Amino acid sequence: YKEHEVLVRNTDGEPAIYHLNSASHTAILPPGLWKKKWQLWSLIDDSHGGYIMLMVDKMTKLKYLMSYNARSHKLEIAPYPHLATYQFQNLMKDKDGQIWIKGATKQGMPFITKINEANVSSLKIYEFPAKMEHSEYPFISGWLQDSKGVFWFATLQGLYSFDEKKQQW
């Protein structure tokens, strides 16, 4: 996250910043905002002094994207109707600071999408040119972006690359 700080779930399961030097947590959200029925799956800082979170309601099993701006205290929560994997790298920030999320359609087709941070909605979904595959493991186990802006994905089927500018897999 930052030097000597890591984004984590604190002991109550809430999103927090862990300070390595002092071994202490600082809550990201104001007191009372996080509900005990929520489970944090992924967390990343955005480019505007806030955070994007993927969470699930433990009672209903429905997933949500939450955006919280720590400066303005603006909160947005939107349903996330796609499949996602608990405790895997679901969110990523590209070299331009844009937030991306990986997931799969209800039919199991893997995709990535850019997130509109203002209302935590998908800007455009890019489906992988891959056949649906059922496994106990997530289709995408890791991803990064190189200096040319090309995304690289470690998947169950091997290495994929995606160039958004060329719209090419």
Side-chain angles (χ1 to χ4, degrees), residues 14-29:
E14 298 181 35
I17 300 168
Y18 181 75
H19 307 280
L20 298 171
N21 292 340
S22 63
S24 63
H25 291 95
T26 301
I28 289 173
L29 302 173

Side-chain angles (χ1 to χ4, degrees), residues 85-103:
T85 309
Y86 175 64
Q87 289 190 334
F88 278 86
Q89 183 187 1
N90 291 305
L91 299 166
M92 188 183 90
K93 193 185 318 181
D94 69 17
K95 64 183 185 65
D96 298 322
Q98 179 68 51
I99 304 293
W100 291 75
I101 189 168
K102 69 175 178 131

